[in-house]
Amino acid sequence: MLAKQDLLRSLPKIDELLRQETLQEEIGTAGGAFAAEAARALIEELRQRILGGATEVPTDLPSVAGMLRERLCQSRQPGLRPVLNATGVVLHTNLGRAPLSKAAAEAAAAVAAGYSTLEYDLDRGARGSRTSHIERLLCELCGCEAAAVVNNNAAAVLIALGEIARGREVIVSRGELVEIGGAFRVPEIMEQSGCVLREVGTTNKTRLSDYERAVGEATGALLKVHTSNYRIVGFVEETPLETLVAFGHAHQLPVLYDLGSGALLPPERFGIHGEPDVPSAVKSGADLVTFSGDKLLGGPQAGILLGRKSYIDRIKRHPLMRAFRMDKLGLAALEATLLAYRNPERAIEEIPNLRMLAQPLTAIEARADRLVAQLARMGIPAERLADHSQVGGGSAPTQLLPTAVVALRGIDPVPAEARLRHASTPVIARIAHDRLLFDMRTLADEEVGRLAEIIGEVVHA
Ligand SMILES: *Cc1c(COP(=O)(O)O)cnc(C)c1O
């Protein structure tokens, strides 16, 4: 009891702590009020630990000052920071989905800190359009009549439905009532857009006759949704887009296609099977096609709408367009990403997601061997294993991509995985069969050295 009282009494006073010479620089950066609050919280925490019966609580001034400095330093870490993706999930939604190409990152950086031609026409010396360049590029690359861009694909679908079919029924197959990552669910988007969802068919089979029976006075549009993040297999039947388009047009009904992943090239070219591509969807005659900018397109977060000019023009005048518009950094990155597609080989080389998907297994294995060798030089035993990575981001959910992983030997994977997440550059790895694995598909060649350093920090700590 007495020891407890002694310990409590020996805790430093807050102002005494804040006067410590060793803290002054950190306090200057953090701000006096913030530092005082952090000091108060720290002392209170130590008090509670002592009251709880802990005896190993540091109470001397230098130790407590050291703890406070550590906390002030930590609090300066931004919440949004770069990480190394060693998960092998290429379009990792939680890790930012699509890393930008060098050209796209540079384009965004170039307009970030200064003024730009965001809404200025240099030829006329007057106000210009913020998206006309991008729209022209999209039309050229995808073979469509007109294009518009918004913040993300969820916004694209919402605005398209709201403009084209507000107050009317939109017919959707029961097999396509998609949920993407929790917040985007077709029935709810439909409700938000002011349309009435008319479900047809069953989960596994929807035939043209199901659409035929549902069409009536109240119908405003037909919507096809790509089942991005799941597949229905077995006894299945869906109505192909071309059939739906012919049927819709025979009834003067617009056909909307939410394509989701947005590959501008045939995905087979970078090793993906069973995913639709944008130019083919446009060619099939859908009146509006919507997709994300940061899935298989490999650009910034964006929602892209392509299709008939009359519909696109109406959508551009929708009051939500202003609320959903992209910012200049995203626009710069999107334009630079799209430019790469003029030469498809160049696009696959320069756009990180496409490169990661397209790279041959031998290249991934070579990268794994480099990491193993580098770790061996640091005295850390590791080996290369064969495994599978995933496309991710709600694309090709059933496709497994053969990959090479590096597994650490003789190390408890659970605490090591946690320590890696808290490293100076956080590393996100995966644990399988009780081993900590680094999938080399989603790491760039330039990142191998840094990864080895961080593993060293964590293993030797
Ligand atoms: C991913 C996806 C969306 C949502 O796109 P965001 O760009 O993430 O808003 C909508 N529909 C489908 C079919 C998708 O795959």
Side-chain angles (χ1 to χ4, degrees):
M1 209 55 212
L2 204 74
K4 212 182 248 187
Q5 288 305 329
D6 285 345
L7 269 176
L8 285 175
R9 256 196 300 278
S10 65
L11 276 171
K13 302 276 171 295
I14 292 171
D15 47 357
E16 189 184 12
L17 185 58
L18 290 170
R19 276 198 306 272
Q20 280 297 291
E21 196 46 47
T22 53
L23 282 174
Q24 291 321 303
E25 200 179 322
E26 211 42 74
I27 291 174
T29 314
F34 182 85
E37 177 50 32
R40 194 203 56 74
L42 174 60
I43 299 284
E44 181 54 27
E45 239 179 79
L46 296 174
R47 254 176 61 79
Q48 291 303 327
R49 271 164 64 187
I50 295 167
L51 289 172
T55 49
E56 303 286 295
V57 182
T59 57
D60 63 294
L61 200 48
S63 301
V64 179
M67 289 170 86
L68 181 58
R69 193 176 51 231
E70 178 69 28
R71 287 195 178 191
L72 292 176
C73 193
Q74 280 285 332
S75 73
R76 274 192 286 124
Q77 281 280 10
L80 179 59
R81 11 193 316 223
V83 302
L84 296 184
N85 176 8
T87 65
V89 180
V90 178
L91 299 173
H92 199 306
T93 302
N94 302 145
L95 303 183
R97 248 192 218 166
L100 293 179
S101 69
K102 209 158 164 284
E106 282 169 6
V111 300
Y115 296 107
S116 62
T117 55
L118 180 63
E119 288 182 7
Y120 189 80
D121 185 329
L122 290 174
D123 290 334
R124 293 190 301 118
R127 185 181 175 162
S129 149
R130 54 162 61 208
T131 52
S132 56
H133 289 83
I134 287 180
E135 290 163 14
R136 273 199 297 276
L137 251 175
L138 283 165
C139 292
E140 167 203 319
L141 294 169
C142 305
C144 55
E145 244 179 64
V149 291
V150 290
N151 241 321
N152 51 41
N153 188 30
V157 177
L158 183 63
I159 202 168
L161 287 168
E163 180 55 42
I164 305 302
R166 185 172 196 83
R168 307 179 70 91
E169 284 184 3
V170 176
I171 305 180
V172 189
S173 159
R174 287 202 169 87
E176 298 174 4
L177 297 175
V178 173
E179 168 173 323
I180 307 284
F184 179 94
R185 310 175 96 192
V186 168
E188 283 157 26
I189 290 285
M190 198 68 80
E191 195 180 310
Q192 283 297 321
S193 65
C195 300
V196 178
L197 172 63
R198 180 73 190 266
E199 305 173 26
V200 296
T202 61
T203 304
N204 55 327
K205 288 207 174 207
T206 304
R207 301 183 184 85
L208 185 59
S209 57
D210 295 314
Y211 291 93
E212 278 167 350
R213 269 201 304 281
V215 163
E217 281 294 291
T219 312
L222 308 178
L223 173 66
K224 187 166 182 63
V225 187
H226 176 50
T227 60
S228 300
N229 50 6
Y230 65 99
R231 290 286 181 270
I232 299 173
V233 296
F235 188 57
V236 294
E237 184 173 340
E238 68 170 315
T239 309
L241 182 59
E242 290 78 3
T243 311
L244 210 57
V245 166
F247 171 72
H249 292 174
H251 289 80
Q252 274 88 53
L253 286 171
V255 177
L256 279 53
Y257 182 31
D258 177 15
L259 195 156
S261 52
L264 292 199
L265 301 172
E268 290 74 21
R269 291 191 65 163
F270 45 87
I272 302 296
H273 302 279
E275 280 290 318
D277 68 89
V278 177
S280 306
V282 169
K283 211 166 167 185
S284 72
D287 297 282
L288 278 173
V289 177
T290 59
F291 54 95
S292 299
D294 55 348
K295 289 185 179 170
L296 289 178
L297 192 150
Q301 181 189 302
I304 298 171
L305 299 112
L306 306 180
R308 289 259 284 275
K309 187 167 186 309
S310 55
Y311 292 126
I312 295 283
D313 285 346
R314 276 170 58 191
I315 287 167
K316 283 189 190 164
R317 289 193 298 267
H318 193 288
L320 277 179
M321 199 63 194
R322 165 96 191 189
F324 288 168
R325 72 184 185 182
M326 284 183 79
D327 76 307
K328 60 184 176 182
L329 303 190
L331 287 169
L334 181 57
E335 187 173 13
T337 306
L338 291 172
L339 273 171
Y341 279 96
R342 281 194 169 147
N343 176 346
E345 278 74 39
R346 208 185 105 198
I348 293 173
E349 245 167 66
E350 292 182 1
I351 296 173
N353 282 160
L354 302 193
R355 187 175 57 224
M356 288 175 197
L357 291 166
Q359 65 193 321
L361 181 58
T362 49
I364 307 176
E365 287 170 344
R367 203 175 298 130
D369 290 342
R370 271 184 50 213
L371 179 61
V372 170
Q374 210 149 337
L375 290 173
R377 283 197 293 278
M378 298 161 66
I380 300 169
E383 63 190 319
R384 186 186 94 194
L385 302 173
D387 205 332
H388 289 97
S389 22
Q390 290 171 46
V391 183
S395 299
T398 52
Q399 190 174 343
L400 291 174
L401 308 161
T403 191
V405 299
V406 171
L408 298 186
R409 274 206 294 259
I411 169 169
D412 189 353
V414 176
E417 187 273 342
R419 283 205 299 277
L420 282 166
R421 280 189 274 116
H422 293 97
S424 46
T425 302
V427 175
I428 317 300
R430 72 169 188 258
I431 297 175
H433 313 299
D434 243 6
R435 311 214 41 192
L436 187 57
L437 306 178
F438 303 91
D439 190 322
M440 303 311 284
R441 178 183 292 277
T442 43
L443 290 154
D445 282 333
E446 317 76 87
E447 289 174 333
V448 174
R450 180 80 189 109
L451 175 59
E453 265 172 43
I454 297 165
I455 294 174
E457 279 170 30
V458 163
V459 170
H460 293 138

